[in-house]
Amino acid sequence: MKRFRIFLTWVLLVLAAGAELAAAAPNIRTAWAYGRAYSNLYDMTRRFGLQLRVGKGRYDVTGNGSRMVLYPDKRYMFLNGVRVNQCFSPVMKGGATYVSRTDYTKTFTPLLGSKRAYKHPVGTIFLDCGHGGKDQGAAGKFSKEKNITLRLGRRLAAILRSCGYKVVMSRNSDVFLSLERRAALQASTRSDLFISLHVNSAGDRSVSGIETYCMTPAGAPSSNSTKADARTYNGNRYDSNNIILAWNLQHSMLSRTKAADRGVKRARFQVLRDIRCPGALVEIGFISNAAEERNLGSAAYIEKLARGLAEGILNYHRSLSK
């Protein structure tokens, strides 16, 4: 009987604490626009214990070691200096600013809120060295994407193994693998993270910089599109972890290389759609840009990229453990 009373007291205390927290957490007002739900920005910042300051043509959100800058009618924002593409632009309703409910749950909550809900074991990491064999990928004046990604993958694998991780590589030589095969290999190894390595190219040879992609949430347009897609893929099971991973990879690569920031973006690439763990695809530079092609051919620069990617993975892992 005494044990039962102790247990009952404990249950009542837990329920009371939960009710107190619920009462303290502000309600987030909802508005509708363009056929979708939007969440009040001020309420959202209060929910996360942050401060919102409205300036001329921008919103500054600060607190808990983070600084976020948003802009009216812009799909991009900055989190601690790193550009992040939102699914939809903020809107004004009744004199207040609202962000899409999709962004509230799939972008802001993972990046600004508690990471406790997204914690998962990270023991095995799958490195996908893009292209290979008959598929050379993008080509520059003196180099090929398939060779750069393999070189980077080998160095990154060595660093991650020295940190205690098990590493599986989609390829460790110049062989061709289909996109379906790469995703199937990840699933068969039951790896905990998936990183796909690629090199960019553009018709405008002045374009440069690093960008990191993660899976587009269902019902949202990819970053390079305005057309929403309601289909759900296997990779959408990890939407929140995907954005946390992508931000950490982008932040760490930029810190190491000082390259131009082309942002964290969303895309429905096949290797991101079909994997069965959190994942991201990184575009480490533009082979079409003369200066970046020289960098990508340099062992010192590859080392910076490998170190940056490894730090991003470690920071992702540590952030979920806090």
Side-chain angles (χ1 to χ4, degrees):
M1 187 66 180
K2 182 178 180 181
R3 287 183 178 180
F4 175 75
R5 286 198 301 270
I6 293 173
F7 173 75
L8 182 60
T9 301
W10 177 82
V11 170
L12 291 173
L13 286 171
V14 170
L15 291 174
E20 183 179 350
L21 287 172
N27 293 325
I28 297 182
R29 287 166 287 179
T30 298
W32 288 84
Y34 310 110
R36 69 182 70 95
Y38 284 77
S39 299
N40 184 276
L41 177 61
Y42 174 72
D43 296 342
M44 182 192 79
T45 57
R46 288 186 64 214
R47 171 69 60 86
F48 296 134
L50 304 173
Q51 293 78 46
L52 172 66
R53 187 173 73 253
V54 180
K56 187 175 181 180
R58 60 186 282 171
Y59 308 102
D60 288 273
V61 179
T62 56
N64 300 331
S66 295
R67 182 183 181 188
M68 180 178 285
V69 182
L70 300 91
Y71 305 92
D73 301 320
K74 300 290 185 184
R75 279 183 70 183
Y76 63 86
M77 65 182 186
F78 290 89
L79 174 61
N80 292 346
V82 175
R83 180 171 173 142
V84 179
N85 280 45
Q86 300 170 76
C87 297
F88 300 97
S89 305
V91 299
M92 294 291 296
K93 296 284 288 186
T97 304
Y98 288 78
V99 298
S100 76
R101 180 65 57 82
T102 302
D103 280 303
Y104 171 63
T105 58
K106 303 290 188 177
T107 305
F108 296 109
T109 297
L111 291 177
L112 296 176
S114 170
K115 307 295 189 291
R116 187 178 304 171
Y118 315 123
K119 184 176 180 179
H120 70 106
V122 181
T124 302
I125 299 169
F126 191 99
L127 297 183
D128 174 35
C129 302
H131 306 279
K134 65 182 182 180
D135 178 12
Q136 70 175 14
K141 288 187 176 180
F142 55 83
S143 55
K144 297 176 181 178
E145 180 178 4
K146 67 175 184 176
N147 298 328
I148 296 170
T149 59
L150 181 58
R151 186 182 187 188
L152 174 59
R154 286 171 171 169
R155 182 62 191 129
L156 176 56
I159 295 171
L160 291 173
R161 287 174 180 136
S162 72
C163 295
Y165 294 105
K166 179 181 177 181
V167 178
V168 178
M169 297 179 68
S170 60
R171 64 183 183 94
N172 199 20
S173 60
D174 187 18
V175 296
F176 171 77
L177 289 172
S178 68
L179 297 177
E180 294 87 354
R181 179 61 177 158
R182 293 167 194 266
L185 282 172
Q186 181 282 312
S188 68
T189 61
R190 297 184 178 181
S191 44
D192 305 305
L193 285 181
F194 175 92
I195 312 293
S196 190
L197 308 174
H198 288 265
V199 178
N200 233 328
S201 183
D204 182 351
R205 296 184 179 276
S206 68
V207 177
S208 65
I210 293 173
E211 56 193 23
T212 301
Y213 287 88
C214 60
M215 185 65 187
T216 309
S222 293
S223 296
N224 296 327
S225 172
T226 57
K227 186 177 180 181
D229 188 336
R231 289 175 292 180
T232 300
Y233 296 92
N234 195 75
N236 289 125
R237 293 173 56 194
Y238 315 99
D239 279 339
S240 297
N241 289 79
N242 293 339
I243 191 71
I244 299 170
L245 175 63
W247 184 89
N248 277 286
L249 293 174
Q250 183 77 358
H251 181 264
S252 296
M253 283 191 291
L254 294 176
S255 296
R256 282 279 180 173
T257 64
K258 311 305 179 187
D261 177 18
R262 291 183 55 83
V264 175
K265 300 181 177 181
R266 309 274 197 170
R268 292 182 174 88
F269 296 136
Q270 186 167 348
V271 289
L272 297 180
R273 293 200 311 255
D274 297 340
I275 55 176
R276 286 165 170 74
C277 68
L281 184 148
V282 297
E283 296 277 6
I284 59 173
F286 281 77
I287 203 171
S288 50
N289 180 284
E292 287 207 330
E293 185 180 12
R294 286 194 298 273
N295 282 340
L296 295 171
S298 159
Y301 194 78
I302 291 295
E303 183 71 15
K304 289 180 181 179
L305 284 167
R307 294 282 174 185
L309 287 164
E311 285 175 1
I313 292 168
L314 284 166
N315 289 338
Y316 165 85
H317 193 180
R318 289 166 181 162
S319 73
L320 302 189
S321 302
K322 292 181 180 179

